[in-house]
Every structure is written in structure tokens, then in C-alpha cells.
């Protein structure tokens, strides 16, 4: 008898791919289908004010461009598999979902308070993935990774650089410039990874070894 088992990373990948196809199918269907995706798979402060709190989670599984979903899922697969094997399937799933919700909220809050644009929508897994990458770097700080795809650096230094770039990008957006990137979501996800490492992962290890 064959036994099929799925990791949390695999399930997350499949959901993201499914929502990606739903977006692309909706573009060729009626406006009702398109409106459904817009109302349920984009996060913004205005959407939260309207009571659609589920978008904090659904938007983190949402991509409508191939390159966007490919890059996020590639990074998730690269780092998430190692993190899941270290902390376990259930803990990884709860961490990922928590990082997704928190990063989405951070985007909405930053858009409203700092960028003064409560209707600014966002979608994508990059906030949650940022949390996974930062957690990986804290667990394996000396593990070499390829910065920008070709510069080998210790994982911890790489995430410090990326966090710095997100801070710089957010300051640029606050001044009216910058790129259309969800820096608030990235920083929120990274903060979730930081909190998980110091208050859950390390405490669990201390209890186990003690």
C-alpha cells in the first residue's frame, strides 16, 4: 500500500498555486468573479475597516503574477523545508499562519499611518516568507546563502541586509518615493520570526535540554 504524506510547506505551495490560478481564471470571467477575488484576496486598511478580517490571511496566499508566485514559493521551499524539519510540521504551520496574518496587518497599518493611503491593497506571501527566512537565519546563522542569487554570505548577515533594505524602502515610500513593494509586510513578517525564535524556539530548546 502506498502512503502519501504532505509537509506543511507542500500544502502552502499548493494553496498558493491554486489561488494564483483562481486569479487568472477570474480575469477572463465575469466581473462578479473578479470582484470576489479583489474583495477576498487583497488586504488593505479600508478592507479591515469594512469587517473583512479574513483578508489578513487570504491575501498572504494570493498572487496574480507568475514571477511573484514563483519567487515567493521558491524561497519558501528553499528555507521553509529546513525550518519545518527543525521545529516540526504543526509548529511550522502555526508560525507561518501567524507570520502571514501579522505581516498583512503591518502592511495595512503602515499604509494607513505612515503612507496615509488606507486603500492601498497588497497581496502575496512575501511577508510570511520573510518570517521564515529570518527564523532560518537565527537557527542557522552561519549557513551560507546566496545574497541576490550569487553572493555567498552567512544567513544572518543576509537577513540583516534585507531588513535594512526594507527599512530604507519604507522611509523612501514615506517621503513619496520608493518602489511599489510591501516593505511593511516584509518587516512585519521578519519581526514575527524574531519573536518566535527568542520567545518560543529558544524557550522550547531550553526546556528540552534542561
Amino acid at each position: 500500500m502506498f502512503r502519501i504524506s504532505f509537509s506543511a510547506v507542500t500544502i502552502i505551495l499548493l494553496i498558493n498555486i491554486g489561488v494564483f490560478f483562481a486569479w487568472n481564471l477570474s480575469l477572463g470571467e465575469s466581473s462578479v468573479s473578479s470582484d470576489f477575488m479583489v474583495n477576498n484576496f487583497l488586504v488593505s486598511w479600508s478592507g479591515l475597516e469594512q469587517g473583512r478580517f479574513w483578508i489578513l490571511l487570504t491575501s498572504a496566499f494570493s498572487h496574480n503574477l507568475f514571477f511573484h508566485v514563483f519567487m515567493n514559493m521558491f524561497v519558501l521551499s528553499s528555507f521553509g523545508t529546513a525550518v519545518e524539519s527543525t521545529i516540526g510540521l504543526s509548529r511550522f504551520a502555526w508560525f507561518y499562519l501567524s507570520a502571514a496574518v501579522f505581516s498583512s496587518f503591518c502592511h495595512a497599518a503602515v499604509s494607513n499611518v505612515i503612507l496615509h493611503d488606507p486603500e492601498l491593497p497588497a497581496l502575496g506571501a512575501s511577508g510570511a516568507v520573510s518570517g521564515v527566512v529570518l527564523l532560518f537565519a537565527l537557527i542557522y546563522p552561519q549557513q551560507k546563502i546566496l545574497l541576490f542569487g550569487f553572493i555567498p554570505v552567512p544567513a544572518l548577515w543576509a537577513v540583516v541586509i534585507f531588513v535594512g533594505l526594507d527599512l530604507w524602502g519604507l522611509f523612501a515610500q514615506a517621503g513619496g518615493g520608493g518602489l511599489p513593494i510591501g516593505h511593511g509586510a516584509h518587516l512585519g513578517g521578519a519581526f514575527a520570526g524574531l519573536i518566535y525564535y527568542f520567545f518560543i524556539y529558544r524557550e522550547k530548546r531550553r526546556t528540552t535540554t534542561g
Side-chain angles (χ1 to χ4, degrees), residues 2-181:
F2 293 100
R3 182 180 179 182
I4 300 175
S5 60
F6 289 99
S7 67
V9 170
T10 301
I11 295 171
I12 293 167
L13 288 171
L14 291 174
I15 295 173
N16 276 273
I17 293 170
V19 176
F20 167 74
F21 280 113
W23 266 111
N24 284 272
L25 288 173
S26 73
L27 297 178
E29 297 294 331
S30 66
S31 61
V32 174
S33 300
S34 180
D35 289 344
F36 175 83
M37 297 303 295
V38 168
N39 290 330
N40 292 283
F41 289 92
L42 293 176
V43 64
S44 66
W45 188 261
S46 296
L48 297 178
E49 286 185 323
Q50 294 167 12
R52 290 182 282 119
F53 301 111
W54 58 87
I55 58 179
L56 289 170
L57 182 61
T58 55
S59 63
F61 289 86
S62 178
H63 304 80
N64 55 14
L65 297 175
F66 176 76
F67 181 76
H68 193 196
V69 69
F70 174 79
M71 287 304 299
N72 276 338
M73 295 304 98
F74 176 77
V75 176
L76 173 62
S77 179
S78 300
F79 294 93
T81 302
V83 174
E84 182 179 352
S85 67
T86 301
I87 67 176
L89 186 152
S90 60
R91 288 188 178 88
F92 179 84
W94 280 112
F95 164 69
Y96 187 88
L97 295 176
S98 299
V101 169
F102 186 68
S103 64
S104 294
F105 177 79
C106 286
H107 162 78
V110 163
S111 299
N112 184 50
V113 177
I114 298 179
L115 306 183
H116 308 294
D117 188 359
E119 296 184 359
L120 183 65
L123 77 172
S126 54
V129 172
S130 294
V132 172
V133 174
L134 191 133
L135 182 56
F136 173 91
L138 291 174
I139 296 174
Y140 305 107
Q142 298 304 318
Q143 179 69 42
K144 291 291 193 298
I145 66 174
L146 296 178
L147 185 66
F148 304 120
F150 64 93
I151 305 173
V153 295
L156 190 57
W157 280 107
V159 298
V160 168
I161 292 171
F162 279 122
V163 168
L165 289 173
D166 276 316
L167 286 170
W168 176 82
L170 183 57
F171 286 131
Q173 288 178 340
L179 298 173
I181 296 173

Side-chain angles (χ1 to χ4, degrees), residues 189-204:
F191 184 72
L194 193 72
I195 294 299
Y196 185 91
Y197 177 78
F198 284 105
F199 293 97
I200 299 178
Y201 177 78
R202 290 212 330 178
E203 286 300 316
K204 181 179 180 298

